[in-house]
Amino acid sequence: MSCHTECNSIGAFDLFLLNDGEKKITEKPFAGMSNTSDFIIMKEDHTVGNLLAEHFKQHPHVMMAGYKVAHPNVPELLIRLQTDGTATPREIFVEVCKQLVASLGQLAQNFTREYELRRMATAGEQDSNGPNGRP
């Protein structure tokens, strides 16, 4: 196999599974702006970037939040977060992530409950009909 093929090929799982010793999230304070940090999140893309950035923007102590993905084949997401100084970017990052996990957990419970209720209702309708689908 040529270097072109080997060097440019990405394994099926390389874009979302962490390698041994690889950290999921790294914080780097951004020297150009006060109360600002860049968070590098490995093996994530626009889905997580947009979700987090939009929720950061809703936080009352966030001055600015944005994200970028350098390239689709580089499994790295950069989020820049600036606060008003009443909380650190890391504190806001953790708080918003905890809120999102709780919110998505509630969504999963609601979805499962609704799914089960509809499944029982459908099963009840089928049981009330005869074997040929008639009452």
Side-chain angles (χ1 to χ4, degrees):
M1 199 186 282
S2 70
C3 180
H4 177 73
T5 305
E6 285 179 18
C7 296
N8 291 326
S9 68
I10 296 174
F13 300 107
D14 289 341
L15 291 176
F16 63 90
L17 290 179
L18 292 175
N19 298 320
D20 290 338
E22 190 173 29
K23 289 178 65 173
K24 182 69 175 177
I25 303 171
T26 304
E27 179 185 13
K28 293 183 179 179
F30 184 70
M33 301 165 80
S34 62
N35 305 311
T36 305
S37 283
D38 288 340
F39 295 90
I40 295 90
I41 305 175
M42 299 304 294
K43 313 293 174 133
E44 296 298 345
D45 60 14
H46 291 285
T47 304
V48 170
N50 190 46
L51 178 71
L52 287 173
E54 291 304 312
H55 280 81
F56 289 143
K57 291 174 190 175
Q58 294 174 14
H59 195 283
H61 298 299
V62 170
M63 304 293 289
M64 182 273 302
Y67 80 96
K68 73 175 182 176
V69 175
H71 188 277
N73 288 339
V74 178
E76 185 176 290
L77 167 70
L78 180 128
I79 294 179
R80 181 164 294 161
L81 180 61
Q82 182 182 30
T83 69
D84 61 9
T86 57
T88 67
R90 179 184 291 230
E91 290 168 338
I92 300 293
F93 192 97
V94 170
E95 180 183 334
V96 168
C97 285
K98 285 180 179 179
Q99 290 171 353
L100 273 169
V101 167
S103 179
L104 293 172
Q106 185 63 48
L107 176 65
Q109 287 177 353
N110 292 345
F111 178 85
T112 301
R113 183 180 62 242
E114 187 67 25
Y115 174 80
E116 291 298 325
L117 288 172
R118 288 179 187 257
R119 192 174 60 82
M120 288 188 293
T122 302
E125 290 172 7
Q126 291 174 352
D127 290 344
S128 66
N129 293 333
N132 296 327
R134 297 185 199 131

PDB file of all heavy atoms in Angstrom, residues 84-108:
ATOM      1  N   ASP A  84     -18.165  36.656  32.451  1.00  0.00           N
ATOM      2  CA  ASP A  84     -18.088  38.025  32.978  1.00  0.00           C
ATOM      3  C   ASP A  84     -17.183  38.129  34.206  1.00  0.00           C
ATOM      4  O   ASP A  84     -17.042  39.187  34.788  1.00  0.00           O
ATOM      5  CB  ASP A  84     -19.483  38.560  33.295  1.00  0.00           C
ATOM      6  CG  ASP A  84     -20.210  37.741  34.352  1.00  0.00           C
ATOM      7  OD1 ASP A  84     -19.597  36.845  34.976  1.00  0.00           O
ATOM      8  OD2 ASP A  84     -21.416  37.999  34.566  1.00  0.00           O
ATOM      9  N   GLY A  85     -16.582  37.034  34.612  1.00  0.00           N
ATOM     10  CA  GLY A  85     -15.646  37.048  35.736  1.00  0.00           C
ATOM     11  C   GLY A  85     -16.257  36.588  37.047  1.00  0.00           C
ATOM     12  O   GLY A  85     -15.534  36.335  38.001  1.00  0.00           O
ATOM     13  N   THR A  86     -17.578  36.470  37.129  1.00  0.00           N
ATOM     14  CA  THR A  86     -18.189  35.980  38.369  1.00  0.00           C
ATOM     15  C   THR A  86     -18.005  34.473  38.516  1.00  0.00           C
ATOM     16  O   THR A  86     -18.138  33.944  39.618  1.00  0.00           O
ATOM     17  CB  THR A  86     -19.692  36.329  38.438  1.00  0.00           C
ATOM     18  OG1 THR A  86     -20.350  35.782  37.307  1.00  0.00           O
ATOM     19  CG2 THR A  86     -19.911  37.829  38.473  1.00  0.00           C
ATOM     20  N   ALA A  87     -17.720  33.807  37.431  1.00  0.00           N
ATOM     21  CA  ALA A  87     -17.415  32.368  37.435  1.00  0.00           C
ATOM     22  C   ALA A  87     -16.360  32.129  36.364  1.00  0.00           C
ATOM     23  O   ALA A  87     -16.280  32.864  35.378  1.00  0.00           O
ATOM     24  CB  ALA A  87     -18.666  31.545  37.136  1.00  0.00           C
ATOM     25  N   THR A  88     -15.552  31.112  36.561  1.00  0.00           N
ATOM     26  CA  THR A  88     -14.523  30.794  35.572  1.00  0.00           C
ATOM     27  C   THR A  88     -15.152  30.073  34.383  1.00  0.00           C
ATOM     28  O   THR A  88     -16.243  29.494  34.505  1.00  0.00           O
ATOM     29  CB  THR A  88     -13.437  29.882  36.188  1.00  0.00           C
ATOM     30  OG1 THR A  88     -14.018  28.614  36.481  1.00  0.00           O
ATOM     31  CG2 THR A  88     -12.832  30.511  37.434  1.00  0.00           C
ATOM     32  N   PRO A  89     -14.499  30.105  33.234  1.00  0.00           N
ATOM     33  CA  PRO A  89     -15.010  29.342  32.095  1.00  0.00           C
ATOM     34  C   PRO A  89     -15.188  27.855  32.440  1.00  0.00           C
ATOM     35  O   PRO A  89     -16.184  27.239  32.038  1.00  0.00           O
ATOM     36  CB  PRO A  89     -13.939  29.544  31.021  1.00  0.00           C
ATOM     37  CG  PRO A  89     -13.342  30.869  31.334  1.00  0.00           C
ATOM     38  CD  PRO A  89     -13.333  30.925  32.842  1.00  0.00           C
ATOM     39  N   ARG A  90     -14.278  27.294  33.210  1.00  0.00           N
ATOM     40  CA  ARG A  90     -14.383  25.879  33.586  1.00  0.00           C
ATOM     41  C   ARG A  90     -15.639  25.635  34.424  1.00  0.00           C
ATOM     42  O   ARG A  90     -16.347  24.650  34.220  1.00  0.00           O
ATOM     43  CB  ARG A  90     -13.159  25.434  34.363  1.00  0.00           C
ATOM     44  CG  ARG A  90     -13.240  23.962  34.801  1.00  0.00           C
ATOM     45  CD  ARG A  90     -12.064  23.578  35.648  1.00  0.00           C
ATOM     46  NE  ARG A  90     -10.876  23.561  34.816  1.00  0.00           N
ATOM     47  CZ  ARG A  90     -10.016  22.561  34.776  1.00  0.00           C
ATOM     48  NH1 ARG A  90     -10.185  21.520  35.545  1.00  0.00           N
ATOM     49  NH2 ARG A  90      -8.973  22.623  33.987  1.00  0.00           N
ATOM     50  N   GLU A  91     -15.926  26.522  35.374  1.00  0.00           N
ATOM     51  CA  GLU A  91     -17.122  26.370  36.219  1.00  0.00           C
ATOM     52  C   GLU A  91     -18.398  26.413  35.372  1.00  0.00           C
ATOM     53  O   GLU A  91     -19.311  25.599  35.568  1.00  0.00           O
ATOM     54  CB  GLU A  91     -17.157  27.454  37.299  1.00  0.00           C
ATOM     55  CG  GLU A  91     -16.103  27.293  38.360  1.00  0.00           C
ATOM     56  CD  GLU A  91     -15.959  28.515  39.265  1.00  0.00           C
ATOM     57  OE1 GLU A  91     -16.355  29.641  38.876  1.00  0.00           O
ATOM     58  OE2 GLU A  91     -15.417  28.338  40.373  1.00  0.00           O
ATOM     59  N   ILE A  92     -18.437  27.340  34.434  1.00  0.00           N
ATOM     60  CA  ILE A  92     -19.603  27.441  33.548  1.00  0.00           C
ATOM     61  C   ILE A  92     -19.699  26.198  32.667  1.00  0.00           C
ATOM     62  O   ILE A  92     -20.795  25.637  32.482  1.00  0.00           O
ATOM     63  CB  ILE A  92     -19.523  28.706  32.658  1.00  0.00           C
ATOM     64  CG1 ILE A  92     -19.478  29.966  33.514  1.00  0.00           C
ATOM     65  CG2 ILE A  92     -20.659  28.741  31.650  1.00  0.00           C
ATOM     66  CD1 ILE A  92     -20.717  30.279  34.305  1.00  0.00           C
ATOM     67  N   PHE A  93     -18.571  25.740  32.149  1.00  0.00           N
ATOM     68  CA  PHE A  93     -18.544  24.550  31.296  1.00  0.00           C
ATOM     69  C   PHE A  93     -19.138  23.358  32.044  1.00  0.00           C
ATOM     70  O   PHE A  93     -20.019  22.659  31.533  1.00  0.00           O
ATOM     71  CB  PHE A  93     -17.097  24.256  30.869  1.00  0.00           C
ATOM     72  CG  PHE A  93     -16.967  23.241  29.777  1.00  0.00           C
ATOM     73  CD1 PHE A  93     -16.817  23.632  28.454  1.00  0.00           C
ATOM     74  CD2 PHE A  93     -16.993  21.879  30.055  1.00  0.00           C
ATOM     75  CE1 PHE A  93     -16.699  22.698  27.441  1.00  0.00           C
ATOM     76  CE2 PHE A  93     -16.867  20.936  29.056  1.00  0.00           C
ATOM     77  CZ  PHE A  93     -16.720  21.346  27.742  1.00  0.00           C
ATOM     78  N   VAL A  94     -18.679  23.129  33.265  1.00  0.00           N
ATOM     79  CA  VAL A  94     -19.161  21.997  34.061  1.00  0.00           C
ATOM     80  C   VAL A  94     -20.647  22.162  34.389  1.00  0.00           C
ATOM     81  O   VAL A  94     -21.428  21.212  34.262  1.00  0.00           O
ATOM     82  CB  VAL A  94     -18.314  21.846  35.343  1.00  0.00           C
ATOM     83  CG1 VAL A  94     -18.932  20.839  36.301  1.00  0.00           C
ATOM     84  CG2 VAL A  94     -16.888  21.431  34.995  1.00  0.00           C
ATOM     85  N   GLU A  95     -21.045  23.361  34.792  1.00  0.00           N
ATOM     86  CA  GLU A  95     -22.443  23.610  35.151  1.00  0.00           C
ATOM     87  C   GLU A  95     -23.380  23.347  33.977  1.00  0.00           C
ATOM     88  O   GLU A  95     -24.402  22.662  34.116  1.00  0.00           O
ATOM     89  CB  GLU A  95     -22.596  25.056  35.638  1.00  0.00           C
ATOM     90  CG  GLU A  95     -24.007  25.430  36.038  1.00  0.00           C
ATOM     91  CD  GLU A  95     -24.124  26.891  36.438  1.00  0.00           C
ATOM     92  OE1 GLU A  95     -23.117  27.500  36.879  1.00  0.00           O
ATOM     93  OE2 GLU A  95     -25.234  27.439  36.292  1.00  0.00           O
ATOM     94  N   VAL A  96     -23.044  23.883  32.814  1.00  0.00           N
ATOM     95  CA  VAL A  96     -23.897  23.707  31.636  1.00  0.00           C
ATOM     96  C   VAL A  96     -23.937  22.240  31.214  1.00  0.00           C
ATOM     97  O   VAL A  96     -25.002  21.722  30.865  1.00  0.00           O
ATOM     98  CB  VAL A  96     -23.431  24.627  30.480  1.00  0.00           C
ATOM     99  CG1 VAL A  96     -24.102  24.250  29.168  1.00  0.00           C
ATOM    100  CG2 VAL A  96     -23.734  26.081  30.828  1.00  0.00           C
ATOM    101  N   CYS A  97     -22.819  21.552  31.287  1.00  0.00           N
ATOM    102  CA  CYS A  97     -22.802  20.124  30.935  1.00  0.00           C
ATOM    103  C   CYS A  97     -23.691  19.318  31.882  1.00  0.00           C
ATOM    104  O   CYS A  97     -24.436  18.431  31.447  1.00  0.00           O
ATOM    105  CB  CYS A  97     -21.380  19.578  30.935  1.00  0.00           C
ATOM    106  SG  CYS A  97     -20.425  20.109  29.492  1.00  0.00           S
ATOM    107  N   LYS A  98     -23.644  19.622  33.170  1.00  0.00           N
ATOM    108  CA  LYS A  98     -24.507  18.930  34.139  1.00  0.00           C
ATOM    109  C   LYS A  98     -25.984  19.197  33.841  1.00  0.00           C
ATOM    110  O   LYS A  98     -26.814  18.289  33.902  1.00  0.00           O
ATOM    111  CB  LYS A  98     -24.165  19.355  35.567  1.00  0.00           C
ATOM    112  CG  LYS A  98     -22.889  18.749  36.088  1.00  0.00           C
ATOM    113  CD  LYS A  98     -22.597  19.201  37.513  1.00  0.00           C
ATOM    114  CE  LYS A  98     -21.323  18.567  38.050  1.00  0.00           C
ATOM    115  NZ  LYS A  98     -21.022  19.009  39.426  1.00  0.00           N
ATOM    116  N   GLN A  99     -26.315  20.454  33.504  1.00  0.00           N
ATOM    117  CA  GLN A  99     -27.695  20.796  33.160  1.00  0.00           C
ATOM    118  C   GLN A  99     -28.151  20.038  31.917  1.00  0.00           C
ATOM    119  O   GLN A  99     -29.285  19.546  31.856  1.00  0.00           O
ATOM    120  CB  GLN A  99     -27.843  22.305  32.941  1.00  0.00           C
ATOM    121  CG  GLN A  99     -27.717  23.124  34.186  1.00  0.00           C
ATOM    122  CD  GLN A  99     -27.643  24.621  33.892  1.00  0.00           C
ATOM    123  OE1 GLN A  99     -27.555  25.051  32.737  1.00  0.00           O
ATOM    124  NE2 GLN A  99     -27.662  25.427  34.942  1.00  0.00           N
ATOM    125  N   LEU A 100     -27.273  19.952  30.917  1.00  0.00           N
ATOM    126  CA  LEU A 100     -27.607  19.236  29.688  1.00  0.00           C
ATOM    127  C   LEU A 100     -27.823  17.746  29.939  1.00  0.00           C
ATOM    128  O   LEU A 100     -28.772  17.155  29.413  1.00  0.00           O
ATOM    129  CB  LEU A 100     -26.523  19.426  28.636  1.00  0.00           C
ATOM    130  CG  LEU A 100     -26.651  20.653  27.764  1.00  0.00           C
ATOM    131  CD1 LEU A 100     -25.395  20.868  26.948  1.00  0.00           C
ATOM    132  CD2 LEU A 100     -27.859  20.544  26.862  1.00  0.00           C
ATOM    133  N   VAL A 101     -26.967  17.141  30.747  1.00  0.00           N
ATOM    134  CA  VAL A 101     -27.118  15.716  31.062  1.00  0.00           C
ATOM    135  C   VAL A 101     -28.451  15.482  31.761  1.00  0.00           C
ATOM    136  O   VAL A 101     -29.185  14.540  31.426  1.00  0.00           O
ATOM    137  CB  VAL A 101     -25.931  15.209  31.908  1.00  0.00           C
ATOM    138  CG1 VAL A 101     -26.212  13.841  32.498  1.00  0.00           C
ATOM    139  CG2 VAL A 101     -24.660  15.171  31.064  1.00  0.00           C
ATOM    140  N   ALA A 102     -28.795  16.340  32.720  1.00  0.00           N
ATOM    141  CA  ALA A 102     -30.067  16.195  33.429  1.00  0.00           C
ATOM    142  C   ALA A 102     -31.248  16.383  32.477  1.00  0.00           C
ATOM    143  O   ALA A 102     -32.223  15.614  32.508  1.00  0.00           O
ATOM    144  CB  ALA A 102     -30.146  17.200  34.574  1.00  0.00           C
ATOM    145  N   SER A 103     -31.163  17.373  31.620  1.00  0.00           N
ATOM    146  CA  SER A 103     -32.237  17.652  30.664  1.00  0.00           C
ATOM    147  C   SER A 103     -32.418  16.502  29.673  1.00  0.00           C
ATOM    148  O   SER A 103     -33.544  16.087  29.380  1.00  0.00           O
ATOM    149  CB  SER A 103     -31.925  18.947  29.916  1.00  0.00           C
ATOM    150  OG  SER A 103     -32.910  19.246  28.980  1.00  0.00           O
ATOM    151  N   LEU A 104     -31.319  15.980  29.155  1.00  0.00           N
ATOM    152  CA  LEU A 104     -31.403  14.862  28.207  1.00  0.00           C
ATOM    153  C   LEU A 104     -31.874  13.588  28.904  1.00  0.00           C
ATOM    154  O   LEU A 104     -32.577  12.775  28.301  1.00  0.00           O
ATOM    155  CB  LEU A 104     -30.066  14.651  27.514  1.00  0.00           C
ATOM    156  CG  LEU A 104     -29.652  15.786  26.577  1.00  0.00           C
ATOM    157  CD1 LEU A 104     -28.227  15.583  26.084  1.00  0.00           C
ATOM    158  CD2 LEU A 104     -30.623  15.934  25.420  1.00  0.00           C
ATOM    159  N   GLY A 105     -31.534  13.412  30.184  1.00  0.00           N
ATOM    160  CA  GLY A 105     -32.042  12.280  30.957  1.00  0.00           C
ATOM    161  C   GLY A 105     -33.550  12.361  31.114  1.00  0.00           C
ATOM    162  O   GLY A 105     -34.262  11.359  30.984  1.00  0.00           O
ATOM    163  N   GLN A 106     -34.058  13.563  31.391  1.00  0.00           N
ATOM    164  CA  GLN A 106     -35.504  13.762  31.502  1.00  0.00           C
ATOM    165  C   GLN A 106     -36.193  13.514  30.165  1.00  0.00           C
ATOM    166  O   GLN A 106     -37.252  12.899  30.112  1.00  0.00           O
ATOM    167  CB  GLN A 106     -35.810  15.180  32.003  1.00  0.00           C
ATOM    168  CG  GLN A 106     -37.272  15.441  32.274  1.00  0.00           C
ATOM    169  CD  GLN A 106     -37.818  14.557  33.375  1.00  0.00           C
ATOM    170  OE1 GLN A 106     -37.221  14.418  34.435  1.00  0.00           O
ATOM    171  NE2 GLN A 106     -38.947  13.930  33.133  1.00  0.00           N
ATOM    172  N   LEU A 107     -35.590  13.973  29.082  1.00  0.00           N
ATOM    173  CA  LEU A 107     -36.137  13.720  27.753  1.00  0.00           C
ATOM    174  C   LEU A 107     -36.227  12.221  27.483  1.00  0.00           C
ATOM    175  O   LEU A 107     -37.233  11.727  26.973  1.00  0.00           O
ATOM    176  CB  LEU A 107     -35.280  14.397  26.689  1.00  0.00           C
ATOM    177  CG  LEU A 107     -35.676  14.150  25.229  1.00  0.00           C
ATOM    178  CD1 LEU A 107     -37.047  14.739  24.937  1.00  0.00           C
ATOM    179  CD2 LEU A 107     -34.631  14.712  24.297  1.00  0.00           C
ATOM    180  N   ALA A 108     -35.189  11.481  27.843  1.00  0.00           N
ATOM    181  CA  ALA A 108     -35.188  10.028  27.640  1.00  0.00           C
ATOM    182  C   ALA A 108     -36.304   9.366  28.450  1.00  0.00           C
ATOM    183  O   ALA A 108     -36.992   8.466  27.944  1.00  0.00           O
ATOM    184  CB  ALA A 108     -33.830   9.445  28.035  1.00  0.00           C
TER     185      ALA A 108
END
